[in-house]
Amino acid sequence: MVVSLVPRTTPAEVHVVKDPEYGLDGLIVLHSTALGPAAGGCRLWSYRSGDEMTEDALRLAEGMTYKNAIAGLPFGGGKAVLTIPSGPFDRDKMFEAFGRAVRRLEGNYVTAEDVGTTVEDMRAVARSTRHVAGLPGRDGAPGGDPSPFTARGTFLAMQTAAQRRLHRPLSDCTVAIQGMGNVGSALALLLHRAGARLVVADVDSARVARVAVMTGALIVPSRNILSVAADIVAPCALGGVLTGDTIGHLRAKVVCGAANNQLGTAEDGSRLADAGVLYAPDYVVNSGGIINVAGEYLGWSQEEVEARIDGISERLDHVLNLAAARGISNNLAADQAARSIIASSAIDQAAA
Ligand code: NAI
């Protein structure tokens, strides 16, 4: 079943996706289709309430609108969130049912992996719709798990941020990473190879131990990771981790990580700037995964995808320069840059 709801944020379209037979219960949010179909992953999470799920979906979809615009992709922003069924369920069948809901949107929404979903899940989705990416890549073409590409983009952004704020390469930096999941662990390996010292944390002790063995990273308890003595903090777990409280305890001078929606509120971006911390806006930093997804969906070569991921450094530089020139926080500068890309495309379309 797909039912339209009254959107809560201006241009959003919210679709309830429910199929009790297969345990499917969630939302697909199309925040914007100004630049193209709304693209953004599907999150599977244990939500405590419908409100919590809706809020997460709206925020994530809006973030995708800006992320896709800044990355220069011909996509609007969207997101799907599904709640983990409370009882036993057939995972393949549930994702096939989700795929049918995506199909009914007739290409206006393109899905892929996000937190809690895997390449296998996307294979199940692909049995119902072609509007899905993150499928196993074939013959060297883009595809598969987007997280290594997200990690690569985050690494490049971190190099830029470290040079700008600390005036040194990552080999002379200590980086604290919160979250040793798909992105965090891949980022840890890239940083280790680049010669950075690492401090890591995860609520899952097996994950954090595995990375520490491979990289020699120091493990700290999760509650301490944002306040450890480090040059750079990389949030790579969940959103909302940068708040008045955590910012007050930060010792790092750079925050550059992959997690979506790291700031508790937009004002926390100004708080970071006031504290002398360079905050690299999350959706500029973590766009590597969606660039790979876009390349897969649109049939680009892997070289094209990699060149566009390399462009993350330049795009971050542009946003940081804009913030300095306008005397605003980096997160606001990113939002303004994204909105101006969307606005100029609307002008182009009107003129055509
Ligand atoms: P994941 O689910 O593989 O990893 C998240 C990790 O964070 C898990 O190991 C989990 O145990 C850990 N974690 C949860 N709460 C924690 C806490 N309080 N302290 C320390 N660790 C904690 O997810 P993935 O794919 O690595 O994504 C990480 C973040 O990056 C998410 O916010 C996601 O939305 C974002 N992101 C991921 C992309 C991708 O390509 N996978 C693309 C863009 C953004």
Side-chain angles (χ1 to χ4, degrees):
M1 183 176 58
V2 181
V3 201
S4 286
L5 282 180
V6 178
R8 234 174 54 170
T9 59
T10 10
E13 224 181 86
V14 181
H15 297 269
V16 174
V17 294
K18 257 191 201 303
D19 196 331
E21 190 179 347
Y22 301 112
L24 179 70
D25 182 7
L27 299 171
I28 299 175
V29 176
L30 279 58
H31 178 263
S32 166
T33 51
L35 296 178
C42 171
R43 177 166 294 196
L44 182 64
W45 192 248
S46 204
Y47 290 101
R48 281 167 300 189
S49 68
D51 280 353
E52 188 188 67
M53 181 166 78
T54 307
E55 209 167 291
D56 202 28
L58 289 172
R59 242 183 129 195
L60 289 164
E62 183 170 12
M64 289 309 302
T65 296
Y66 299 147
K67 186 189 303 196
N68 292 337
I70 281 268
L73 299 173
F75 285 114
K79 201 85 184 181
V81 297
L82 306 179
T83 196
I84 300 172
S86 48
F89 67 107
D90 182 327
R91 196 168 171 118
D92 271 7
K93 292 265 183 270
M94 188 182 82
F95 279 101
E96 284 172 15
F98 170 64
R100 289 192 288 278
V102 173
R103 187 177 68 210
R104 283 191 284 269
L105 296 176
E106 299 178 328
N108 286 318
Y109 170 63
V110 180
T111 198
E113 294 90 347
D114 190 62
V115 172
T117 55
T118 64
V119 173
E120 268 316 301
D121 297 331
M122 293 310 120
R123 283 162 76 112
V125 173
R127 288 198 279 277
S128 305
T129 179
R130 62 191 171 85
H131 303 299
V132 53
L135 301 164
R138 268 173 295 172
D139 306 327
D145 174 9
S147 51
F149 301 94
T150 305
R152 165 100 187 126
T154 305
F155 174 80
L156 295 172
M158 200 180 279
Q159 275 181 329
T160 300
Q163 275 303 343
R164 284 187 72 124
R165 178 65 183 85
L166 306 165
H167 313 292
R168 45 193 152 101
L170 293 174
S171 53
D172 288 346
C173 293
T174 299
V175 184
I177 311 178
Q178 179 186 46
M180 287 292 105
N182 293 322
V183 179
S185 57
L187 176 64
L189 288 179
L190 291 173
L191 287 165
H192 174 63
R193 277 187 219 126
R197 291 174 298 279
L198 295 173
V199 185
V200 294
D202 197 295
V203 287
D204 181 330
S205 55
R207 284 188 178 177
V208 82
R210 198 170 53 232
V211 174
V213 166
M214 287 191 286
T215 63
L218 175 70
I219 300 176
V220 297
S222 292
R223 66 181 178 282
N224 296 342
I225 189 71
L226 296 178
S227 58
V228 292
D231 302 301
I232 302 170
V233 158
C236 294
L238 296 172
V241 294
L242 299 168
T243 62
D245 182 37
T246 57
I247 292 167
H249 291 95
L250 269 182
R251 288 152 84 185
K253 289 297 172 208
V254 172
V255 175
C256 178
N260 282 313
N261 298 329
Q262 290 167 34
L263 298 173
T265 64
E267 290 70 44
D268 292 316
S270 307
R271 257 191 206 114
L272 284 162
D274 293 346
V277 177
L278 186 160
Y279 169 65
D282 45 18
Y283 60 78
V284 181
V285 169
N286 69 17
S287 56
I290 193 72
I291 292 172
N292 197 58
V293 161
E296 175 187 347
Y297 190 71
L298 298 171
W300 296 342
S301 67
Q302 196 64 54
E303 291 72 31
E304 166 90 27
V305 164
E306 270 153 35
R308 284 173 181 255
I309 292 174
D310 287 351
I312 288 175
S313 308
E314 203 178 304
R315 291 192 284 276
L316 176 60
D317 251 333
H318 170 69
V319 166
L320 300 182
N321 290 341
L322 195 69
R326 294 186 178 168
I328 56 175
S329 60
N330 297 340
N331 53 305
L332 287 186
D335 289 358
Q336 289 184 5
R339 286 197 194 109
S340 103
I341 292 167
I342 295 166
S344 45
S345 126
I347 292 166
D348 290 350
Q349 281 169 22

